[in-house]
């Protein structure tokens, strides 16, 4: 038994770096054709050139017109989108009383509205073909909350409600929608942490390390495959036991 995604076409937002790049690489490694997406076309092309069966696409997921164009471009280039992974995400951390409206809106637009827009656009083709896999990358912060991250936690919790609703609405069309909620993973997003903060964090992780992007990618690849054909509306937590 192994993960076989041959013949599947996957779109991964925010796949120029970090977890998204690892997910794109893993899906291609399982045989899928992959659309690598970044804010810069050059960056997306550069990452795609190192991945078999991958093509680069430009999209700022905070811009609704960009998202509509992206899905149309990928469908035209690959013939459809079978697996949609909403991974692009940002943080704009601040304590609640100092949080500016623009930082609230920027995070909700990039992390949550983006998933609504890609899902609405890509699900049309999935419904016609009666096959689809949608995986939304949330965070344990969406389950636990986090000081200084009200905007980020709200966006990540929102992805869970969105996903459970999509699972119910599109299940009858054989479109599955699940969430992967990573804990702390070694990427640019967590690189800014001080050594002190990192040591304090690791103390609370039963597996005593931060995760690797590939740890998240494995869960996503499984959810996209036929091995997970009876799994929908679920939150798979990949956090080394942090939130257990
Ligand atoms: P990185 O900051 O390393 O990479 C973020 C990716 O998202 C980049 O490819 C970036 O593209 C893209 N991106 C950001 N904003 C936009 C946008 N508006 N439009 C298109 N693409 C965009 O993040 P991670 O790899 O660490 O995180 C990936 C996902 O995993 C995020 O949703 C994050 O919230 C989530 N996550 C991460 C955790 C961690 O510990 N690292 C823990 C839990 C969840 P560009 O190169 O153009 O900037």
């Amino acid at each position: 038994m192994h993960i076989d995604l041959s013949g599947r076409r996957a779109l991964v937002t925010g796949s120029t770096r970090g977890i998204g790049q690892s997910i794109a690489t893993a899906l291609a490694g399982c045989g899928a054709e992959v659309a690598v997406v970044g804010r810069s076309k050059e960056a997306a092309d550069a990452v795609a050139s190192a991945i078999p069966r991958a093509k680069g696409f430009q999209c700022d997921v905070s811009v609704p017109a960009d998202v509509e164009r992206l899905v149309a471009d990928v469908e035209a280039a690959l013939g459809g989108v079978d697996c949609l992974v909403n991974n692009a995400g940002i943080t704009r951390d601040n304590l609640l009383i100092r949080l500016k409206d623009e930082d609230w809106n920027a995070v909700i637009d990039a992390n949550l509205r983006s998933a609504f827009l890609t899902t609405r656009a890509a699900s049309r083709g999935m419904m016609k073909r009666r096959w689809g896999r949608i995986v939304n990358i949330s965070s344990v912060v969406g389950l636990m909350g986090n000081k200084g991250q009200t905007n980020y936690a709200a966006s990540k919790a929102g992805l869970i409600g969105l996903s459970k609703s999509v699972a119910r609405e599109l299940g009858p069309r054989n479109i599955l929608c699940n969430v992967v909620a990573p804990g702390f993973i070694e990427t640019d997003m967590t690189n800014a942490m001080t050594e002190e903060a990192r040591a304090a964090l690791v103390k609370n992780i039963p597996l005593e390390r931060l995760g690797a992007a590939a740890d998240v990618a494995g869960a996503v690849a499984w959810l996209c495959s036929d091995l997970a054909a009876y799994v929908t509306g679920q939150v798979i937590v990949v956090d080394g036991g942090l939130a257990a």
Side-chain angles (χ1 to χ4, degrees), residues 24-87:
T25 306
L27 299 184
C30 296
E33 284 180 77
V34 179
V36 171
V37 187
R39 277 178 286 200
S40 137
K41 172 82 166 98
E42 290 69 35
D45 284 342
V47 169
S49 68
I51 301 177
R53 292 176 299 283
K55 280 198 175 76
F57 295 85
Q58 190 281 333
C59 174
D60 181 337
V61 297
S62 297
V63 178
D66 261 30
V67 175
E68 285 288 333
R69 178 185 45 75
L70 169 72
V71 173
D73 285 354
V74 175
E75 286 180 336
L78 305 187
V81 174
D82 303 304
C83 308
L84 168 65
V85 183
N86 287 306
N87 164 80

Side-chain angles (χ1 to χ4, degrees), residues 111-186:
N111 297 5
L112 179 58
R113 186 181 65 178
S114 59
F116 152 63
L117 294 170
T118 55
T119 302
R120 187 176 61 182
S123 60
R124 291 183 199 118
M126 291 176 181
M127 283 196 273
K128 277 192 204 135
R129 292 187 297 276
R130 301 216 163 234
W131 200 98
R133 296 285 195 274
I134 301 164
V135 182
N136 291 320
I137 307 301
S138 175
S139 166
V140 285
V141 166
L143 297 169
M144 303 164 71
N146 200 17
K147 208 164 70 176
Q149 290 200 307
T150 46
N151 51 356
Y152 183 76
S155 73
K156 294 301 187 180
L159 282 174
I160 295 173
L162 169 74
S163 305
K164 286 181 179 282
S165 304
V166 169
R168 287 179 186 275
E169 204 169 307
L170 302 184
R173 308 292 184 101
N174 194 32
I175 298 168
L176 317 184
C177 184
N178 290 288
V179 173
V180 171
F184 289 85
I185 307 296
E186 300 271 11

Side-chain angles (χ1 to χ4, degrees), residues 181-194:
F184 289 85
I185 307 296
E186 300 271 11
T187 69
D188 293 346
M189 202 177 256
T190 44
N191 276 348
M193 248 191 295
T194 62

